[in-house]
Amino acid sequence: MGNLAALKTARTVETDEWQLRVDLAAAFRLAAMLDWHEAVANHLSLAVSADGKKFLMNPRWRHFSRVKASELLLLDSTDQETMNRPDAPDLTAWSIHGRMHANVPQARCIIHLHQNTARFYNRVAVDMEYGGMANSDAEGDRLGRLLGNKQIMMMGNHGVLVCASTVAEAFDLTYYLERACRNLILAYSTGQPLHVMSGDVAEKTAQEWEADREQFHSHFAEMKEILDEKDPSYAE
């Protein structure tokens, strides 16, 4: 009986791949509705083979709200050439989801979400000298000196300022800064001691973010596609 059950399970899993695609695509769309997404990062995956080694996952840098069942990547965790293909998934997604599906067969569906505070380690200027409306050259010059070579300034009693070389990067930085602040406030609100990563790990993580500049542009391009679908009049 055990062998018959195993054969039935394998056959059912393989023939129901389209329904699995639909279910996973629905999970992506619902995650976006529930604000679980992080720009074009984060990944969901779902095993389609009985042994769990073949799985579906989102294409690299696709916004959750635009994922379609037909676009999901079908990957094999034992395929060592996966990252050499033009449609390769995100490296971090492959490193985590690929190995999980290879080694943990019971983990058939994996939802992985992020916190991103380390991106800003030692990269934010802080201004605590707010003196009223910024209505003079002297105030603008002071803020420029304080910003220095950083891209972000937290302005006490005033707001936040983000600088970048492109709209895409400025948008991406602002998006993640808001998310990082939200996560930090939620963590503080627990009243429990926080597990804070070391300075070395935080710096390494921030440098890795800075090296992945192509993702900034993919994020903004995806957001413009979302605007195009909803209301393209911004481009008139």
Side-chain angles (χ1 to χ4, degrees), residues 12-25 46 48 56 68-72:
T12 300
V13 169
E14 294 287 3
T15 56
D16 286 352
E17 182 187 314
W18 178 250
Q19 187 57 55
L20 295 175
R21 284 178 172 273
V22 171
D23 287 351
L24 188 59
L46 178 62
V48 298
L56 301 168
K68 297 178 181 178
S70 59
E71 296 175 336
L72 292 169

Side-chain angles (χ1 to χ4, degrees), residues 118 121 195-205:
Y121 180 74
H195 179 67
V196 180
M197 70 178 66
S198 70
D200 288 344
V201 173
E203 177 62 31
K204 178 178 181 290
T205 304

Side-chain angles (χ1 to χ4, degrees), residues 52-100:
K53 296 184 186 301
K54 292 182 181 178
F55 63 98
L56 301 168
M57 191 168 67
N58 40 319
R60 186 175 70 155
W61 302 340
R62 175 67 104 182
H63 197 278
F64 277 21
S65 69
R66 302 188 65 236
V67 169
K68 297 178 181 178
S70 59
E71 296 175 336
L72 292 169
L73 300 177
L74 178 59
L75 303 171
D76 185 339
S77 61
T78 65
D79 184 359
Q80 297 183 0
E81 293 300 311
T82 295
M83 292 307 300
N84 295 327
R85 297 193 173 93
D87 63 344
D90 180 88
L91 176 59
T92 62
W94 176 245
S95 298
I96 296 174
H97 292 252
R99 301 320 301 157
M100 291 286 284

Side-chain angles (χ1 to χ4, degrees), residues 125-130 139 142-143 146 153-156 158:
V126 178
D127 174 31
M128 297 303 293
E129 303 299 326
Y130 181 68
E139 177 64 358
R142 182 186 73 81
L143 292 172
L146 182 59
M153 183 185 300
M154 300 298 291
M155 308 165 75
H158 190 174

Side-chain angles (χ1 to χ4, degrees), residues 183-194:
N183 290 339
L184 192 59
I185 292 299
L186 286 172
Y188 282 145
S189 71
T190 67
Q192 300 299 310
L194 302 185

Side-chain angles (χ1 to χ4, degrees), residues 117-176:
T117 52
R119 177 176 182 174
F120 303 104
Y121 180 74
N122 275 345
R123 283 155 175 78
V124 179
V126 178
D127 174 31
M128 297 303 293
E129 303 299 326
Y130 181 68
M133 295 290 287
N135 52 14
S136 70
D137 289 351
E139 177 64 358
D141 291 342
R142 182 186 73 81
L143 292 172
R145 289 191 299 271
L146 182 59
L147 181 67
N149 64 355
K150 294 183 170 63
Q151 291 184 276
I152 297 168
M153 183 185 300
M154 300 298 291
M155 308 165 75
N157 305 115
H158 190 174
V160 62
L161 183 144
V162 177
C163 303
S165 58
T166 64
V167 176
E169 185 173 356
F171 177 85
D172 189 74
L173 280 169
T174 304
Y175 174 90
Y176 274 111

